[in-house]
Amino acid sequence: KAGVTQTPRYLIKTRGQQVTLSCSPISGHRSVSWYQQTPGQGLQFLFEYFSETQRNKGNFPGRFSGRQFSNSRSEMNVSTLELGDSALYLCASSEGTTAYNEQFFGPGTRLTVL
Amino acid sequence: QKEVEQDPGPLSVPEGAIVSLNCTYSNSAFQYFMWYRQYSRKGPELLMYTYSSGNKEDGRFTAQVDKSSKYISLFIRDSQPSDSATYLCAMTARAGSARQLTFGSGTQLTVLP
């Protein structure tokens, strides 16, 4: 079974631009979560989608948004990029949304904002 | 203060050593505890999952939870160079829907051959 895939793997943007990141979950998985990983703050939860509905949202500004499609693929968008948005953005998929459902992480998208 | 504190290391040990990794937390609502391993340029992978106080063993790995002290540990026996990675503790309060993981900052481990 193929793992979680994220595209692109690396991205360089400038301040003020917007960016869209994509995540394809493991086949059959309906839950997709997004996390931001930085050296200073570590891994922080952004949001979780299940069956095209946002189930939970972390403490991030409204510039961060996401969506999920009927095939469970998910995208996250960051508008008006700031230098502090430079991070590794990780996507994780799981079969369900309970704490018992293991989350499988993708390799991440490394975003650099100049 | 962060909800989950983890010593970032780096930690360097010789091959065969017993490694102890620890996290403390402040939110008593946390009930489910996980340890993830993250190799360089990879996403985290789940190593251990537990939801009760006590020990859970899986091969060379033992996870220990002490809810009364709000303290969790991961022990690695007979450590190998392939164990060199960043280890992240994670925890969540809810078993039901809308679960959200809170991670420690990670401990960077190097096992020297």
Side-chain angles (χ1 to χ4, degrees):
Chain A
K1 210 181 228 187
V4 177
T5 57
Q6 292 186 246
T7 56
R9 290 294 310 278
Y10 302 91
L11 207 48
I12 298 175
K13 292 285 188 179
T14 56
R15 278 181 298 175
Q17 287 186 308
Q18 77 165 28
V19 67
T20 299
L21 311 181
S22 181
C23 171
S24 293
I26 292 171
S27 177
H29 286 192
R30 297 166 63 191
S31 168
V32 173
S33 297
W34 288 89
Y35 293 84
Q36 181 197 65
Q37 187 174 30
T38 60
Q41 298 298 317
L43 261 160
Q44 293 183 286
F45 173 78
L46 279 157
F47 27 66
E48 179 179 24
Y49 286 87
F50 182 79
S51 294
E52 302 179 66
T53 301
Q54 186 179 90
R55 300 298 295 271
N56 197 11
K57 190 179 192 312
N59 189 25
F60 278 82
R63 300 186 296 108
F64 292 81
S65 63
R67 60 178 175 168
Q68 187 180 33
F69 302 96
S70 58
N71 61 358
S72 295
R73 191 177 69 84
S74 178
E75 289 181 346
M76 68 162 282
N77 184 275
V78 188
S79 62
T80 319
L81 284 166
E82 300 177 359
L83 294 179
D85 296 333
S86 295
L88 181 67
Y89 289 88
L90 291 159
C91 160
S93 79
S94 64
E95 290 182 351
T97 60
T98 74
Y100 303 107
N101 294 124
E102 180 180 349
Q103 294 189 72
F104 294 85
F105 282 84
T109 293
R110 174 77 61 185
L111 172 64
T112 302
V113 182
L114 303 176
Chain B
Q1 187 184 359
K2 291 183 177 180
E3 282 188 293
V4 180
E5 298 283 354
Q6 183 176 7
D7 186 342
L11 183 61
S12 185
V13 301
E15 183 175 354
I18 296 175
V19 176
S20 172
L21 305 167
N22 311 294
C23 288
T24 58
Y25 61 96
S26 56
N27 188 347
S28 58
F30 287 140
Q31 299 293 323
Y32 303 87
F33 306 93
M34 287 137 273
W35 284 96
Y36 284 83
R37 177 175 61 194
Q38 187 175 20
Y39 291 113
S40 180
R41 302 184 188 280
K42 301 273 189 179
E45 58 176 327
L46 182 65
L47 276 178
M48 300 286 286
Y49 171 87
T50 184
Y51 54 88
S52 59
S53 285
N55 293 353
K56 181 178 180 180
E57 193 173 312
D58 185 2
R60 297 185 295 110
F61 299 91
T62 299
Q64 190 174 80
V65 174
D66 183 347
K67 291 184 180 179
S68 62
S69 301
K70 298 190 180 66
Y71 187 88
I72 68 171
S73 300
L74 178 71
F75 298 95
I76 307 174
R77 291 184 299 280
D78 188 25
S79 56
Q80 303 294 311
S82 58
D83 295 327
S84 298
T86 296
Y87 289 80
L88 300 142
C89 64
M91 45 201 78
T92 185
R94 310 182 199 184
S97 63
R99 54 83 207 271
Q100 170 179 331
L101 295 182
T102 301
F103 283 85
S105 57
T107 300
Q108 187 179 340
L109 171 68
T110 301
V111 181
L112 302 169

